[in-house]
Short mmCIF file of all heavy atoms in Angstrom, two decimals:
data_model
loop_
_atom_site.label_atom_id
_atom_site.label_comp_id
_atom_site.label_asym_id
_atom_site.label_seq_id
_atom_site.Cartn_x
_atom_site.Cartn_y
_atom_site.Cartn_z
N VAL A 414 -63.69 62.26 -51.26
CA VAL A 414 -63.02 63.32 -52.01
C VAL A 414 -62.39 64.34 -51.05
O VAL A 414 -61.28 64.82 -51.28
CB VAL A 414 -64.00 64.03 -52.97
CG1 VAL A 414 -63.33 65.23 -53.65
CG2 VAL A 414 -64.51 63.07 -54.03
N ILE A 415 -63.06 64.65 -49.95
CA ILE A 415 -62.53 65.60 -48.97
C ILE A 415 -61.25 65.04 -48.34
O ILE A 415 -60.25 65.74 -48.17
CB ILE A 415 -63.57 65.91 -47.88
CG1 ILE A 415 -64.75 66.68 -48.47
CG2 ILE A 415 -62.94 66.70 -46.73
CD1 ILE A 415 -64.41 68.05 -49.02
N ILE A 416 -61.27 63.76 -47.99
CA ILE A 416 -60.07 63.12 -47.42
C ILE A 416 -58.91 63.22 -48.40
O ILE A 416 -57.79 63.63 -48.03
CB ILE A 416 -60.35 61.64 -47.07
CG1 ILE A 416 -61.42 61.51 -45.99
CG2 ILE A 416 -59.06 60.94 -46.62
CD1 ILE A 416 -61.97 60.11 -45.84
N TYR A 417 -59.17 62.84 -49.64
CA TYR A 417 -58.12 62.86 -50.66
C TYR A 417 -57.59 64.28 -50.85
O TYR A 417 -56.37 64.50 -50.93
CB TYR A 417 -58.68 62.32 -51.97
CG TYR A 417 -57.67 62.32 -53.11
CD1 TYR A 417 -56.55 61.50 -53.07
CD2 TYR A 417 -57.86 63.14 -54.22
CE1 TYR A 417 -55.63 61.49 -54.11
CE2 TYR A 417 -56.94 63.14 -55.27
CZ TYR A 417 -55.83 62.31 -55.21
OH TYR A 417 -54.92 62.32 -56.24
N THR A 418 -58.48 65.25 -50.92
CA THR A 418 -58.07 66.64 -51.14
C THR A 418 -57.23 67.14 -49.99
O THR A 418 -56.21 67.82 -50.19
CB THR A 418 -59.31 67.55 -51.33
OG1 THR A 418 -60.13 67.02 -52.37
CG2 THR A 418 -58.89 68.96 -51.68
N LEU A 419 -57.63 66.82 -48.76
CA LEU A 419 -56.89 67.28 -47.58
C LEU A 419 -55.46 66.73 -47.60
O LEU A 419 -54.49 67.46 -47.39
CB LEU A 419 -57.64 66.86 -46.32
CG LEU A 419 -57.20 67.46 -44.99
CD1 LEU A 419 -58.36 67.47 -44.00
CD2 LEU A 419 -56.03 66.70 -44.37
N TRP A 420 -55.32 65.44 -47.88
CA TRP A 420 -53.99 64.82 -47.92
C TRP A 420 -53.18 65.36 -49.09
O TRP A 420 -52.00 65.69 -48.94
CB TRP A 420 -54.13 63.30 -48.04
CG TRP A 420 -54.36 62.60 -46.74
CD1 TRP A 420 -55.49 62.63 -45.97
CD2 TRP A 420 -53.43 61.77 -46.03
NE1 TRP A 420 -55.34 61.86 -44.84
CE2 TRP A 420 -54.08 61.32 -44.85
CE3 TRP A 420 -52.14 61.34 -46.28
CZ2 TRP A 420 -53.46 60.48 -43.93
CZ3 TRP A 420 -51.51 60.50 -45.37
CH2 TRP A 420 -52.17 60.07 -44.20
N LEU A 421 -53.79 65.47 -50.26
CA LEU A 421 -53.06 65.94 -51.44
C LEU A 421 -52.60 67.38 -51.26
O LEU A 421 -51.47 67.73 -51.61
CB LEU A 421 -53.96 65.81 -52.68
CG LEU A 421 -53.32 66.18 -54.02
CD1 LEU A 421 -52.18 65.22 -54.35
CD2 LEU A 421 -54.37 66.16 -55.13
N ALA A 422 -53.47 68.22 -50.71
CA ALA A 422 -53.11 69.63 -50.50
C ALA A 422 -51.95 69.76 -49.51
O ALA A 422 -51.10 70.63 -49.66
CB ALA A 422 -54.33 70.41 -50.00
N MET A 423 -51.92 68.88 -48.51
CA MET A 423 -50.82 68.90 -47.54
C MET A 423 -49.49 68.58 -48.23
O MET A 423 -48.48 69.25 -48.01
CB MET A 423 -51.08 67.90 -46.42
CG MET A 423 -50.06 67.93 -45.30
SD MET A 423 -50.29 69.36 -44.23
CE MET A 423 -51.81 68.89 -43.38
N LEU A 424 -49.49 67.57 -49.07
CA LEU A 424 -48.27 67.18 -49.78
C LEU A 424 -47.85 68.26 -50.77
O LEU A 424 -46.65 68.55 -50.92
CB LEU A 424 -48.50 65.86 -50.51
CG LEU A 424 -48.75 64.64 -49.61
CD1 LEU A 424 -49.18 63.43 -50.44
CD2 LEU A 424 -47.51 64.31 -48.81
N LEU A 425 -48.82 68.83 -51.45
CA LEU A 425 -48.52 69.91 -52.40
C LEU A 425 -47.88 71.09 -51.67
O LEU A 425 -46.91 71.68 -52.16
CB LEU A 425 -49.80 70.36 -53.10
CG LEU A 425 -49.67 71.48 -54.12
CD1 LEU A 425 -48.75 71.09 -55.26
CD2 LEU A 425 -51.05 71.86 -54.66
N SER A 426 -48.39 71.41 -50.49
CA SER A 426 -47.80 72.49 -49.68
C SER A 426 -46.36 72.16 -49.29
O SER A 426 -45.53 73.06 -49.15
CB SER A 426 -48.63 72.74 -48.42
OG SER A 426 -49.91 73.21 -48.75
N GLY A 427 -46.07 70.86 -49.12
CA GLY A 427 -44.70 70.45 -48.80
C GLY A 427 -43.73 70.78 -49.92
O GLY A 427 -42.59 71.17 -49.66
N ILE A 428 -44.18 70.63 -51.16
CA ILE A 428 -43.33 70.99 -52.30
C ILE A 428 -43.23 72.50 -52.44
O ILE A 428 -42.13 73.06 -52.57
CB ILE A 428 -43.89 70.37 -53.60
CG1 ILE A 428 -43.76 68.85 -53.56
CG2 ILE A 428 -43.15 70.92 -54.82
CD1 ILE A 428 -44.38 68.14 -54.74
N GLU A 429 -44.36 73.18 -52.38
CA GLU A 429 -44.36 74.63 -52.55
C GLU A 429 -43.59 75.33 -51.43
O GLU A 429 -43.05 76.42 -51.61
CB GLU A 429 -45.80 75.14 -52.61
CG GLU A 429 -46.51 74.72 -53.89
CD GLU A 429 -47.95 75.15 -53.93
OE1 GLU A 429 -48.55 75.33 -52.84
OE2 GLU A 429 -48.50 75.30 -55.04
N GLY A 430 -43.52 74.66 -50.27
CA GLY A 430 -42.80 75.23 -49.14
C GLY A 430 -41.31 75.37 -49.37
O GLY A 430 -40.64 76.10 -48.63
N LEU A 431 -40.77 74.70 -50.40
CA LEU A 431 -39.35 74.84 -50.71
C LEU A 431 -38.97 76.28 -51.03
O LEU A 431 -37.79 76.65 -50.94
CB LEU A 431 -38.97 73.93 -51.89
CG LEU A 431 -38.87 72.43 -51.57
CD1 LEU A 431 -38.83 71.62 -52.84
CD2 LEU A 431 -37.65 72.16 -50.71
N GLN A 432 -39.94 77.10 -51.40
CA GLN A 432 -39.68 78.53 -51.61
C GLN A 432 -39.14 79.17 -50.34
O GLN A 432 -38.45 80.18 -50.39
CB GLN A 432 -40.96 79.25 -52.03
CG GLN A 432 -41.57 78.78 -53.32
CD GLN A 432 -42.92 79.43 -53.57
OE1 GLN A 432 -43.12 80.62 -53.28
NE2 GLN A 432 -43.87 78.68 -54.11
N MET A 433 -39.47 78.58 -49.20
CA MET A 433 -39.12 79.17 -47.92
C MET A 433 -37.96 78.44 -47.24
O MET A 433 -37.80 78.49 -46.03
CB MET A 433 -40.35 79.23 -47.02
CG MET A 433 -41.43 80.07 -47.65
SD MET A 433 -42.93 80.21 -46.70
CE MET A 433 -44.02 80.88 -47.96
N TYR A 434 -37.17 77.78 -48.07
CA TYR A 434 -35.93 77.15 -47.60
C TYR A 434 -34.75 77.92 -48.18
O TYR A 434 -34.75 78.26 -49.37
CB TYR A 434 -35.86 75.69 -48.04
CG TYR A 434 -34.56 75.01 -47.68
CD1 TYR A 434 -34.31 74.57 -46.39
CD2 TYR A 434 -33.56 74.82 -48.65
CE1 TYR A 434 -33.11 73.96 -46.06
CE2 TYR A 434 -32.36 74.21 -48.32
CZ TYR A 434 -32.14 73.79 -47.02
OH TYR A 434 -30.95 73.19 -46.69
N ASN A 435 -33.76 78.21 -47.34
CA ASN A 435 -32.58 78.92 -47.81
C ASN A 435 -31.41 77.95 -47.94
O ASN A 435 -30.90 77.45 -46.93
CB ASN A 435 -32.22 80.05 -46.83
CG ASN A 435 -31.09 80.91 -47.37
OD1 ASN A 435 -29.94 80.53 -47.32
ND2 ASN A 435 -31.44 82.08 -47.89
N PRO A 436 -30.98 77.66 -49.17
CA PRO A 436 -29.90 76.68 -49.37
C PRO A 436 -28.58 77.13 -48.77
O PRO A 436 -27.79 76.30 -48.32
CB PRO A 436 -29.80 76.56 -50.89
CG PRO A 436 -31.04 77.17 -51.44
CD PRO A 436 -31.49 78.19 -50.45
N LYS A 437 -28.32 78.44 -48.79
CA LYS A 437 -27.02 78.94 -48.33
C LYS A 437 -26.84 78.69 -46.84
O LYS A 437 -25.78 78.26 -46.39
CB LYS A 437 -26.89 80.43 -48.65
CG LYS A 437 -25.53 81.01 -48.30
CD LYS A 437 -25.27 82.31 -49.03
CE LYS A 437 -25.03 82.07 -50.49
NZ LYS A 437 -24.57 83.29 -51.20
N THR A 438 -27.87 78.95 -46.06
CA THR A 438 -27.78 78.74 -44.61
C THR A 438 -28.34 77.38 -44.19
O THR A 438 -28.30 77.03 -43.01
CB THR A 438 -28.55 79.84 -43.86
OG1 THR A 438 -29.94 79.80 -44.26
CG2 THR A 438 -27.98 81.21 -44.18
N GLN A 439 -28.89 76.64 -45.17
CA GLN A 439 -29.52 75.35 -44.90
C GLN A 439 -30.55 75.47 -43.78
O GLN A 439 -30.57 74.69 -42.83
CB GLN A 439 -28.46 74.29 -44.56
CG GLN A 439 -27.48 74.04 -45.68
CD GLN A 439 -26.45 72.96 -45.34
OE1 GLN A 439 -26.61 72.23 -44.36
NE2 GLN A 439 -25.41 72.86 -46.12
N SER A 440 -31.39 76.48 -43.91
CA SER A 440 -32.38 76.74 -42.87
C SER A 440 -33.74 77.03 -43.48
O SER A 440 -33.85 77.49 -44.62
CB SER A 440 -31.94 77.94 -42.01
OG SER A 440 -31.85 79.11 -42.81
N TRP A 441 -34.77 76.75 -42.69
CA TRP A 441 -36.15 77.03 -43.09
C TRP A 441 -36.54 78.40 -42.55
O TRP A 441 -36.22 78.75 -41.41
CB TRP A 441 -37.08 75.95 -42.57
CG TRP A 441 -36.96 74.68 -43.35
CD1 TRP A 441 -36.12 73.64 -43.10
CD2 TRP A 441 -37.68 74.34 -44.53
NE1 TRP A 441 -36.28 72.66 -44.06
CE2 TRP A 441 -37.23 73.06 -44.95
CE3 TRP A 441 -38.67 74.98 -45.29
CZ2 TRP A 441 -37.74 72.43 -46.08
CZ3 TRP A 441 -39.17 74.35 -46.41
CH2 TRP A 441 -38.71 73.10 -46.81
N LEU A 442 -37.30 79.14 -43.37
CA LEU A 442 -37.66 80.50 -43.01
C LEU A 442 -39.11 80.61 -42.54
O LEU A 442 -39.56 81.71 -42.21
CB LEU A 442 -37.44 81.43 -44.21
CG LEU A 442 -36.02 81.42 -44.79
CD1 LEU A 442 -35.94 82.29 -46.04
CD2 LEU A 442 -35.01 81.89 -43.75
N GLN A 443 -39.84 79.49 -42.52
CA GLN A 443 -41.25 79.56 -42.12
C GLN A 443 -41.65 78.24 -41.50
O GLN A 443 -41.39 77.16 -42.04
CB GLN A 443 -42.13 79.88 -43.34
CG GLN A 443 -43.38 80.69 -43.02
CD GLN A 443 -44.44 79.86 -42.32
OE1 GLN A 443 -44.58 78.68 -42.61
NE2 GLN A 443 -45.18 80.46 -41.40
N ALA A 444 -42.28 78.32 -40.34
CA ALA A 444 -42.57 77.13 -39.53
C ALA A 444 -43.52 76.16 -40.24
O ALA A 444 -43.30 74.95 -40.26
CB ALA A 444 -43.16 77.54 -38.19
N HIS A 445 -44.63 76.67 -40.81
CA HIS A 445 -45.62 75.80 -41.45
C HIS A 445 -45.04 75.14 -42.70
O HIS A 445 -45.32 73.97 -42.97
CB HIS A 445 -46.87 76.59 -41.81
CG HIS A 445 -47.57 77.18 -40.63
ND1 HIS A 445 -47.17 78.36 -40.05
CD2 HIS A 445 -48.67 76.77 -39.93
CE1 HIS A 445 -47.97 78.64 -39.04
NE2 HIS A 445 -48.88 77.69 -38.95
N ALA A 446 -44.26 75.90 -43.47
CA ALA A 446 -43.66 75.35 -44.69
C ALA A 446 -42.73 74.19 -44.35
O ALA A 446 -42.75 73.14 -45.00
CB ALA A 446 -42.90 76.44 -45.43
N GLN A 447 -41.92 74.36 -43.32
CA GLN A 447 -41.02 73.29 -42.90
C GLN A 447 -41.83 72.08 -42.43
O GLN A 447 -41.52 70.93 -42.77
CB GLN A 447 -40.12 73.77 -41.77
CG GLN A 447 -39.14 72.72 -41.26
CD GLN A 447 -38.27 73.22 -40.12
OE1 GLN A 447 -38.42 74.36 -39.66
NE2 GLN A 447 -37.35 72.39 -39.65
N ALA A 448 -42.89 72.32 -41.66
CA ALA A 448 -43.71 71.24 -41.13
C ALA A 448 -44.30 70.39 -42.25
O ALA A 448 -44.31 69.16 -42.20
CB ALA A 448 -44.82 71.81 -40.26
N ARG A 449 -44.79 71.04 -43.29
CA ARG A 449 -45.44 70.31 -44.38
C ARG A 449 -44.42 69.58 -45.24
O ARG A 449 -44.71 68.51 -45.78
CB ARG A 449 -46.30 71.28 -45.20
CG ARG A 449 -47.50 71.77 -44.40
CD ARG A 449 -48.08 73.05 -44.94
NE ARG A 449 -49.12 73.56 -44.04
CZ ARG A 449 -49.58 74.80 -44.05
NH1 ARG A 449 -49.08 75.68 -44.91
NH2 ARG A 449 -50.53 75.18 -43.22
N TYR A 450 -43.22 70.15 -45.37
CA TYR A 450 -42.15 69.46 -46.08
C TYR A 450 -41.75 68.20 -45.31
O TYR A 450 -41.53 67.14 -45.92
CB TYR A 450 -40.95 70.39 -46.24
CG TYR A 450 -39.74 69.72 -46.88
CD1 TYR A 450 -39.64 69.61 -48.27
CD2 TYR A 450 -38.71 69.21 -46.10
CE1 TYR A 450 -38.54 68.99 -48.85
CE2 TYR A 450 -37.60 68.59 -46.68
CZ TYR A 450 -37.53 68.49 -48.06
OH TYR A 450 -36.44 67.87 -48.62
N VAL A 451 -41.67 68.29 -44.00
CA VAL A 451 -41.35 67.12 -43.16
C VAL A 451 -42.39 66.02 -43.39
O VAL A 451 -42.04 64.84 -43.55
CB VAL A 451 -41.28 67.53 -41.68
CG1 VAL A 451 -41.34 66.31 -40.77
CG2 VAL A 451 -40.02 68.33 -41.40
N ILE A 452 -43.66 66.39 -43.42
CA ILE A 452 -44.72 65.40 -43.65
C ILE A 452 -44.57 64.74 -45.02
O ILE A 452 -44.73 63.53 -45.17
CB ILE A 452 -46.10 66.07 -43.50
CG1 ILE A 452 -46.34 66.42 -42.02
CG2 ILE A 452 -47.21 65.17 -44.02
CD1 ILE A 452 -47.54 67.30 -41.77
N LEU A 453 -44.24 65.55 -46.03
CA LEU A 453 -43.99 65.00 -47.36
C LEU A 453 -42.88 63.95 -47.32
O LEU A 453 -42.99 62.87 -47.92
CB LEU A 453 -43.62 66.14 -48.32
CG LEU A 453 -43.16 65.74 -49.73
CD1 LEU A 453 -44.27 65.02 -50.49
CD2 LEU A 453 -42.68 66.97 -50.51
N GLN A 454 -41.79 64.25 -46.59
CA GLN A 454 -40.68 63.31 -46.50
C GLN A 454 -41.09 62.02 -45.79
O GLN A 454 -40.69 60.92 -46.19
CB GLN A 454 -39.49 63.95 -45.76
CG GLN A 454 -38.94 65.20 -46.42
CD GLN A 454 -38.65 65.01 -47.89
OE1 GLN A 454 -37.91 64.11 -48.27
NE2 GLN A 454 -39.25 65.85 -48.71
N VAL A 455 -41.87 62.14 -44.74
CA VAL A 455 -42.34 60.96 -44.00
C VAL A 455 -43.14 60.06 -44.92
O VAL A 455 -42.98 58.82 -44.92
CB VAL A 455 -43.18 61.39 -42.78
CG1 VAL A 455 -43.87 60.18 -42.15
CG2 VAL A 455 -42.30 62.08 -41.74
N LEU A 456 -43.99 60.65 -45.75
CA LEU A 456 -44.86 59.84 -46.62
C LEU A 456 -44.13 59.31 -47.85
O LEU A 456 -44.49 58.25 -48.37
CB LEU A 456 -46.09 60.66 -47.00
CG LEU A 456 -47.01 60.97 -45.82
CD1 LEU A 456 -48.16 61.88 -46.23
CD2 LEU A 456 -47.55 59.68 -45.21
N LEU A 457 -43.11 60.00 -48.31
CA LEU A 457 -42.27 59.44 -49.37
C LEU A 457 -41.48 58.25 -48.84
O LEU A 457 -41.28 57.25 -49.54
CB LEU A 457 -41.31 60.51 -49.90
CG LEU A 457 -41.89 61.57 -50.83
CD1 LEU A 457 -40.89 62.71 -51.03
CD2 LEU A 457 -42.29 60.97 -52.18
N GLU A 458 -41.06 58.33 -47.60
CA GLU A 458 -40.25 57.28 -46.97
C GLU A 458 -41.04 55.99 -46.77
O GLU A 458 -40.46 54.90 -46.78
CB GLU A 458 -39.72 57.79 -45.64
CG GLU A 458 -38.77 56.85 -44.93
CD GLU A 458 -38.34 57.37 -43.57
OE1 GLU A 458 -39.18 57.36 -42.63
OE2 GLU A 458 -37.19 57.82 -43.44
#
């Protein structure tokens, strides 16, 4: 359960991290949020 929770929470943070993306400048405003979004993309791929 701990393994599953750790992985699931990481992916969830990847989605929630979109709050810290600026579409106008196409830039990320927070290092951890970008990192977790990248991980989400790797695992979707």
Side-chain angles (χ1 to χ4, degrees):
V414 175
I415 293 296
I416 297 167
Y417 179 66
T418 306
L419 192 154
W420 277 71
L421 184 64
M423 186 75 71
L424 294 171
L425 180 61
S426 295
I428 293 176
E429 291 177 334
L431 285 166
Q432 298 173 39
M433 299 180 194
Y434 175 78
N435 186 282
K437 184 161 288 189
T438 60
Q439 299 181 13
S440 61
W441 285 91
L442 304 176
Q443 212 286 325
H445 298 81
Q447 181 181 2
R449 292 159 187 163
Y450 176 83
V451 164
I452 290 170
L453 173 64
Q454 300 310 304
V455 170
L456 293 176
L457 284 169
E458 185 184 73

